[in-house]
Amino acid sequence: MAFLPQVVSRLVAPLLLALPLALTAPVRAQTAPAPTDVIREITDAVGLKARFELRATREVDNAAAVVYNGKRYLLYNPAFLNSVNRAGHTDWAGISILAHEMGHHLNGHTLRAGGSQPADELEADEFSGFVLRKLGASLAQAQAAMATVPDAEDSPTHPGRTPRLAAIGQGWQRASAQLVASARSASPSAAPAVVAAVPVRRAAPVYDSEDVADLPGDGTGREMVAVGQNSGDAVRLVGQLTFRNDPSQRYYLTNALKVVRVDEDDNAEIVGRVTRTDSQSFPFVLTDGQQHRLFITARGDVYDKAGQRVAKLHETL
């Protein structure tokens, strides 16, 4: 990788997993699954596509999620992964490290400058615990790599071992609860909603939560209502999404923070949801049914994970 010697100190160091293991044993042949297979299993487990390039290199000490010239990379040192597996006495240790770095990309941490932050590390740790439970790891296996780390104090970039083990456990428990619930629950109705444009006089605010009221583009004017085909229940459409690559397709945001797509016959289908974040730059995130994420600014500009503006969220017309 020709660009690594020039950028590794500037781009890689801030997002390193930072496992200060005492790895003095000689490197042995890798026994864990190939990293490319691991990445595919992780993305299959969470319904995503790997929109980054996986690179093995000895230019990094352990593993890192980086962006260079607008392209995302997941870098790893093969000798480091082998050593982690030996130290943790399980191949799950190396898998958890790759999952952690994927968490940085998928949670948008590499979109902003400033390097590692403790909150970002805990979020990536939680993602790794979630993914490993989906893949069949026990809690001890999911925590194996982190359990080998000395219990250091928190630093400006990384938390100590104890909160990171807890974050992995939270992700693992969340995935476990989902698996149990999905095994017990019946499949919901797949019938889409039908949208009808209805003029409404607003005598009072229509928003049901502070999250909705804070969304860009709220205000007064003509309101649209989506009506369920089966239940007949109506939900308010409080925002409209216009995508740059397909401006003619109609997407709306409901007062329940659901994103619906409306076809030519005014049939609506729920295709995603909007949730609040703690980020000042991107206070809202749009997540579709395949867990793809788009990031929304306070002005309603919508960006993808590569930092490209792809849509605009504004008041319904």
Side-chain angles (χ1 to χ4, degrees):
M1 187 183 302
F3 68 85
L4 273 174
Q6 290 78 27
V7 302
V8 68
S9 61
R10 178 167 58 89
L11 295 179
V12 177
L15 289 176
L16 290 179
L17 183 58
L19 295 179
L21 301 175
L23 305 176
T24 58
V27 176
R28 297 181 299 182
Q30 185 170 340
T31 59
T36 52
D37 295 333
V38 170
I39 296 300
R40 183 171 59 253
E41 290 182 12
I42 292 174
T43 53
D44 287 347
V46 295
L48 299 174
K49 292 183 179 180
R51 299 186 183 278
F52 54 83
E53 185 173 330
L54 181 69
R55 291 279 185 100
T57 176
R58 296 186 182 276
E59 297 288 345
V60 298
D61 292 332
N62 41 47
V66 302
V67 175
Y68 180 72
N69 282 345
K71 186 173 181 179
R72 294 185 295 170
Y73 296 89
L74 197 162
L75 312 176
Y76 72 96
N77 187 316
F80 172 74
L81 289 190
N82 291 335
S83 300
V84 168
N85 287 333
R86 291 198 300 273
H89 305 291
T90 175
D91 291 344
W92 288 110
I95 295 173
S96 72
I97 290 173
L98 294 175
H100 173 99
E101 296 306 327
M102 284 182 62
H104 281 308
H105 276 315
L106 300 179
N107 284 297
H109 301 159
T110 52
L111 289 175
R112 56 177 182 263
S116 294
Q117 301 177 14
D120 290 349
E121 297 304 320
L122 292 177
E123 194 169 32
D125 287 334
E126 184 176 349
F127 177 80
S128 73
F130 179 88
V131 164
L132 263 67
R133 175 63 181 93
K134 290 279 192 177
L135 296 180
S138 68
L139 178 57
Q141 290 168 332
Q143 295 174 324
M146 193 59 62
T148 64
V149 177
D151 194 9
E153 296 294 329
D154 294 352
S155 75
T157 60
H158 289 79
R161 182 180 65 189
T162 299
R164 300 190 70 175
L165 286 171
I168 294 170
Q170 290 172 358
W172 191 93
Q173 295 290 355
R174 182 161 58 90
S176 186
Q178 288 184 7
L179 292 172
V180 172
S182 63
R184 294 177 178 175
S185 302
S187 297
S189 171
V194 175
V195 171
V198 180
V200 176
R201 179 176 298 174
R202 297 186 182 181
V206 301
Y207 304 115
D208 292 341
S209 70
E210 293 181 358
D211 282 354
V212 179
D214 289 342
L215 279 169
D218 64 353
T220 60
R222 182 179 176 84
E223 182 179 85
M224 298 186 70
V225 176
V227 181
Q229 288 181 327
N230 294 334
S231 66
D233 295 335
V235 294
R236 289 181 289 273
L237 306 182
V238 298
Q240 183 172 1
L241 275 162
T242 302
F243 284 86
R244 301 179 69 180
N245 64 348
D246 190 10
S248 63
Q249 179 65 59
R250 292 181 293 166
Y251 292 88
Y252 295 99
L253 181 69
T254 76
N255 64 321
L257 296 182
K258 303 294 185 182
V259 177
V260 296
R261 179 174 58 214
V262 182
D263 63 19
E264 296 179 353
D265 297 323
D266 287 337
N267 295 315
E269 175 188 8
I270 295 176
V271 295
R273 68 184 187 279
V274 171
T275 55
R276 175 177 286 280
T277 74
D278 294 327
S279 169
Q280 294 183 353
S281 300
F282 301 98
F284 296 92
V285 172
L286 190 163
T287 307
D288 67 12
Q290 295 183 330
Q291 300 302 305
H292 298 144
R293 292 187 174 189
L294 297 175
F295 302 87
I296 307 173
T297 69
R299 299 179 58 183
D301 295 317
V302 184
Y303 290 84
D304 62 16
K305 291 181 179 179
Q308 301 296 317
R309 187 162 65 89
V310 296
K312 180 74 174 181
L313 174 61
H314 47 80
E315 186 183 357
T316 52
L317 300 176

